[in-house]
Amino acid sequence: MKPHRYPIMPGKLHALALVLALASASALAEPTASLPGANVESLLELARSQNPEFAAMRHEAEAAAERVYPAGALPDPTLRTELRDITNQGMDASPNLLPGRIGSAKYTLIQPVPFWGKRDLKQDVAEAQANQARGNASASWSDLAARIKVAYAQYYVQIHAEALTREILDLVGSLEKITQTRYANGLAPQQDVIRIQIERTSMRNELVAIGNERHHAQVKLNTLLNRPTMASLADPERLRPIPSPARLEHGALEERLRNRNPQLFVEEARVTAAAKNRELVYRNRYPDFNLGLSPIQTGSRINEWELMIELNIPLQQESRRSQEREAQAMLATAESRRESTQNQLLADLAENIASLDTARYTENLTRTSFLPQAELSFKAAMAGYETGKVDFATLLDAQRQIRKAKLDTLKAQGEMQVRLAEIERLLGEDL
């Protein structure tokens, strides 16, 4: 018996095709929607969980934190066993190693005890070193976040510079058509056609260079995110807002830098560790102890107890004085390095604040003054060229001024993002 075949109506066929098309489009759009890169916040979140360098610094900080408790703990005790008269001299018995069948056995439990205060100082040194490791992890994140913010700004600038160049290239194409029409009608020399073609070729070369820079920025971002270097990124949608000049007041940012900068935190922890280590070295002038308790077994009974105290005698004074001078020099080194680091950070902060203000002024002036003037100049030159009142060189120069104004605006916006990222790196927090 032949199976019955139901005919597919044309309307159902169209509906099925539409469903399949929508499903395919959804499947293709889903990976794109999940790509990072639309904003810098998504990149920072991904880097925090995936960057191996930052992960290594976090693990180092965790390891350093685990050293704090052991540094202040007592050393493990020692158990010593002494078998006396194992030959059973003078007794009617053969040599033996069993405690109950020899003259006697002595068991000594020895506990090393450092001089008062040494354990606390060792723990303080370990705590300061753990703070250094935590500070290094914070500094690593601040540096990583700044590099991502800078690379994202560069990626944004290159993406939009490419789009702008294509837009101007279309404008140049329109100019080429106008020039060719005027040349065909005997209203313009052939040199005008050649010059506009040269301009178009030059812009195509610039597109290649911009594409190369965009590729470099993409590779840099993927490397920082621990992704394959050629992995796709979403097109950047927006730049972060720039804080107002009131929030970038120099004195307030200096104070925040002194209180929050991870490098200064590391240097302060290094000074603390050096100071505690110096105290510990001075405390080595005093002896450490060994306390012992010894039960003595004779036959099968414990019939004697001994108590032992042992101490080292700190006679090597010249050696200790050298160690003390070394500890003092290391403290002075840490203090000098802290001061040097602070001075350099404050200088970097002042430089970046000034550069951000300059970029802000440049962007505002170009966008509100230079660009409108360039556009008016181009419109006037275009009208004059079409009527033969303006030569082609003037028209081409007006077109270049528009492109320059737009690119300068875009570059100034990118420069502001770079300077903002550097300021936040110095502060150790976002503004």
Side-chain angles (χ1 to χ4, degrees):
M1 182 176 179
K2 294 183 180 179
H4 182 71
R5 295 180 180 176
Y6 295 94
I8 299 178
M9 301 301 292
K12 292 183 178 180
L13 185 61
H14 291 315
L16 179 61
L18 180 61
V19 170
L20 292 175
L22 290 175
S24 301
S26 175
L28 291 174
E30 183 177 358
T32 303
S34 63
L35 288 176
N39 53 67
V40 73
E41 290 79 11
S42 64
L43 300 180
L44 292 174
E45 182 180 356
L46 191 60
R48 188 179 284 275
S49 61
Q50 291 192 181
N51 183 269
E53 181 182 357
F54 178 56
M57 299 303 293
R58 288 203 320 270
H59 294 322
E60 283 187 8
E62 293 170 1
E66 295 299 330
R67 299 189 194 109
V68 176
Y69 177 79
L74 281 171
D76 289 333
T78 302
L79 177 63
R80 184 170 64 199
T81 302
E82 300 177 42
L83 302 180
R84 299 175 174 180
D85 194 14
I86 61 174
T87 60
N88 289 314
Q89 191 72 15
M91 299 175 63
D92 189 16
S94 59
N96 205 311
L97 294 179
L98 295 177
R101 297 183 180 182
I102 59 175
S104 63
K106 180 179 180 180
Y107 309 99
T108 304
L109 184 67
I110 303 173
Q111 175 62 61
V113 180
F115 190 80
W116 177 81
K118 287 186 178 181
R119 289 170 53 203
D120 290 340
L121 287 171
K122 289 180 179 179
Q123 196 165 37
D124 290 343
V125 171
E127 180 67 36
Q129 291 172 343
N131 286 337
Q132 289 182 52
R134 282 192 287 269
N136 285 328
S138 297
S140 173
W141 170 249
S142 295
D143 181 67
L144 174 62
R147 284 189 285 166
I148 290 175
K149 292 170 185 176
V150 169
Y152 177 83
Q154 293 171 344
Y155 187 55
Y156 178 94
V157 168
Q158 298 304 325
I159 288 286
H160 286 75
E162 186 174 24
L164 174 61
T165 303
R166 293 187 184 280
E167 177 186 332
I168 301 296
L169 190 58
D170 291 340
L171 176 60
V172 171
S174 300
L175 291 179
E176 183 179 7
K177 292 179 181 178
I178 295 173
T179 305
Q180 288 176 342
T181 301
R182 288 178 57 80
Y183 170 68
N185 294 328
L187 301 176
Q190 186 181 14
Q191 183 66 20
D192 289 356
V193 178
I194 296 174
R195 290 185 65 179
I196 196 65
Q197 290 175 345
I198 292 174
E199 182 73 10
R200 194 173 184 183
T201 302
S202 176
M203 292 187 66
R204 286 174 177 170
N205 288 334
E206 290 188 19
L207 270 178
V208 173
I210 292 173
N212 185 50
E213 292 297 325
R214 177 175 57 80
H215 170 267
H216 291 345
Q218 179 180 348
V219 169
K220 186 182 297 184
L221 281 172
N222 281 325
T223 301
L224 293 172
L225 299 175
N226 196 29
R227 302 174 73 229
T229 55
M230 298 306 297
S232 299
L233 288 170
D235 287 344
E237 296 175 353
R238 58 178 174 82
L239 292 173
R240 295 188 302 150
I242 301 297
S244 64
R247 295 183 59 194
L248 294 174
E249 197 275 322
H250 190 271
L253 292 185
E254 274 195 356
E255 187 63 26
R256 290 176 67 174
L257 185 148
R258 289 189 176 95
N259 294 331
R260 302 287 298 174
N261 181 267
Q263 290 178 266
L264 283 183
F265 180 81
V266 170
E267 297 303 330
E268 189 64 40
R270 184 174 284 115
V271 170
T272 301
K276 294 296 183 181
N277 184 67
R278 183 189 61 174
E279 293 182 36
L280 179 60
V281 170
Y282 274 96
R283 198 62 64 94
N284 286 336
R285 294 179 177 183
Y286 304 99
D288 296 327
F289 300 91
N290 286 324
L291 301 180
L293 182 65
S294 302
I296 299 177
Q297 177 183 352
T298 302
S300 59
R301 296 187 310 164
I302 301 294
N303 54 10
E304 290 184 61
W305 290 84
E306 292 182 357
L307 184 64
M308 180 269 291
I309 181 169
E310 179 182 85
L311 57 87
N312 67 306
I313 301 175
L315 290 180
Q316 304 299 327
Q317 294 300 314
E318 186 59 33
S319 173
R320 283 177 172 77
R321 296 301 175 269
S322 295
Q323 293 173 358
E324 291 168 5
R325 289 191 292 270
E326 176 194 5
Q328 181 62 47
M330 293 302 295
L331 175 58
T333 299
E335 291 173 340
S336 297
R337 184 176 289 114
R338 176 185 58 186
E339 183 178 0
S340 174
T341 300
Q342 178 174 282
N343 291 339
Q344 184 60 54
L345 291 173
L346 291 175
D348 292 344
L349 178 65
E351 177 184 342
N352 281 285
I353 293 175
S355 297
L356 191 148
D357 289 340
T358 301
R360 190 202 304 269
Y361 177 80
T362 301
E363 190 271 342
N364 183 66
L365 182 64
T366 304
R367 177 173 47 83
T368 60
S369 180
F370 183 30
L371 180 57
Q373 292 169 0
E375 289 174 343
L376 289 175
S377 175
F378 177 76
K379 290 178 181 178
M382 175 66 79
Y385 181 70
E386 289 177 344
T387 59
K389 296 179 179 179
V390 173
D391 62 6
F392 183 74
T394 302
L395 177 63
L396 192 59
D397 183 65
Q399 175 271 135
R400 289 172 178 169
Q401 292 300 318
I402 291 180
R403 180 166 173 248
K404 182 179 185 303
K406 291 184 176 181
L407 285 177
D408 286 348
T409 301
L410 189 59
K411 290 177 181 178
Q413 291 172 349
E415 178 66 13
M416 284 192 290
Q417 293 293 322
V418 170
R419 296 303 175 177
L420 176 60
E422 286 299 312
I423 291 173
E424 291 176 338
R425 180 185 67 82
L426 294 169
L427 297 181
E429 59 185 2
D430 289 346
L431 286 170

